[in-house]
């Protein structure tokens, strides 16, 4: 996804635009970027169809026999109040169809704005893993690899909690990035807190895509 789109979404999240509209924008832009970007990474022997991303979906918001389709995943972001200042988060993660070779698709962008590490931009690259957190139905984890200010590759795990529409301003997100604990490691960052501006949304309860 082009950086201007991410920046625009982050501003919209922080400004508190309507929850449902933001969810639709993030999911639509993310799905478009993932589908458009995947074939470019295919090997010379792969067809464009074989390299396309197939995001999994489930029936939702049914009225009688008519249902919409909801992605299986998590999206949103905004301003996270950490112990050392504010961080800007943009997040999209969705499961892929069962016959896909990847467990999930998406991206994470975490920009540190606090005094301790101002100017630090962490962005995911490559494949991700996405799944529930045992013992917490509202929490999800995203794992993968990130670049620091456009360089290097560092493992990360992000945990996000969506407390629902009735709990505005109470969603939380935390992230751990780096290889500092490993032999020869040179970078580590940890931060997290409450989203004081913005929102997180589990996608199986909204309808960001149209029914076929």
């Amino acid at each position: 996804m082009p950086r201007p789109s991410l920046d625009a979404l982050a501003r919209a999240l922080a400004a508190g635009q309507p929850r449902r509209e933001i969810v639709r924008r993030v999911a639509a832009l993310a799905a478009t970027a993932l589908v458009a970007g995947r074939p470019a990474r295919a090997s010379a022997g792969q067809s464009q169809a074989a390299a396309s991303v197939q995001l999994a979906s489930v029936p939702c918001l049914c009225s009688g026999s008519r249902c919409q389709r909801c992605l299986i995943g998590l999206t949103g972001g905004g301003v996270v109040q950490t112990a050392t200042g504010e961080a800007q988060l943009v997040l999209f993660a969705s499961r892929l169809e069962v016959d896909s070779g990847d467990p999930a698709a998406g991206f994470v962008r975490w920009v540190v704005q606090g005094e301790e590490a101002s100017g630090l931009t962490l962005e995911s690259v490559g494949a991700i893993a996405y799944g529930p957190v045992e013992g917490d139905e509202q929490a999800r984890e995203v794992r993968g690899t990130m670049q620091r200010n456009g360089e290097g590759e560092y493992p990360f795990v992000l945990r996000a909690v969506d407390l629902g529409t009735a709990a505005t301003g109470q969603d939380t997100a935390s992230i751990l990035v780096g290889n500092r604990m490993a032999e020869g490691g040179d970078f580590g960052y940890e931060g997290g807190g409450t989203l004081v501006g913005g929102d997180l949304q589990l996608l199986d309860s909204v309808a960001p895509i149209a029914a076929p």
Side-chain angles (χ1 to χ4, degrees):
M1 180 182 294
R3 179 164 295 181
S5 296
L6 284 173
D7 290 338
L9 284 170
R11 288 194 296 271
L13 288 160
Q17 289 191 10
R19 179 187 181 97
R20 192 176 185 84
E21 177 61 25
I22 290 174
V23 169
R24 288 179 181 275
R25 286 180 61 192
V26 174
L29 280 170
T32 299
L34 290 168
V35 172
R38 186 62 172 270
R41 295 194 295 271
S43 64
Q46 287 182 293
S47 68
Q48 179 165 326
S52 297
V53 171
Q54 298 295 325
L55 299 178
S57 65
V58 293
C60 64
L61 302 179
C62 297
S63 176
S65 61
R66 297 178 64 86
C67 294
Q68 298 188 58
R69 301 292 298 185
C70 291
L71 298 178
I72 303 170
L74 174 71
T75 193
V79 178
V80 181
Q81 185 64 58
T82 75
T84 57
E86 294 181 343
Q88 191 180 79
L89 168 66
V90 178
L91 163 67
F92 175 84
S94 180
R95 287 208 178 277
L96 300 182
E97 293 291 355
V98 175
D99 59 356
S100 172
D102 295 325
F107 59 84
V108 177
R109 187 184 190 204
W110 183 284
V111 181
V112 180
Q113 298 174 313
E115 294 181 1
E116 182 176 312
S118 182
L120 174 63
T121 296
L122 301 165
E123 292 184 314
S124 61
V125 292
I128 64 167
Y130 165 82
V133 175
E134 186 175 356
D136 190 341
E137 294 183 356
Q138 296 167 304
R140 298 293 186 272
E141 277 192 354
V142 181
R143 296 174 178 269
T145 302
M146 281 187 152
Q147 290 188 327
R148 174 183 61 170
N149 295 333
E151 298 180 348
E153 291 191 355
Y154 305 93
F156 81 89
V157 56
L158 179 137
R159 179 171 292 193
V161 180
D162 170 27
L163 293 177
T165 57
T168 303
Q170 298 180 45
D171 291 347
T172 62
S174 60
I175 194 168
L176 179 63
V177 187
N179 58 7
R180 184 175 290 172
M181 300 302 293
E183 183 177 352
D186 61 348
F187 173 69
Y189 169 81
E190 183 175 3
T194 302
L195 271 75
V196 295
D199 194 23
L200 296 173
Q201 174 68 64
L202 294 173
L203 294 173
D204 57 6
S205 62
V206 297
I209 57 176

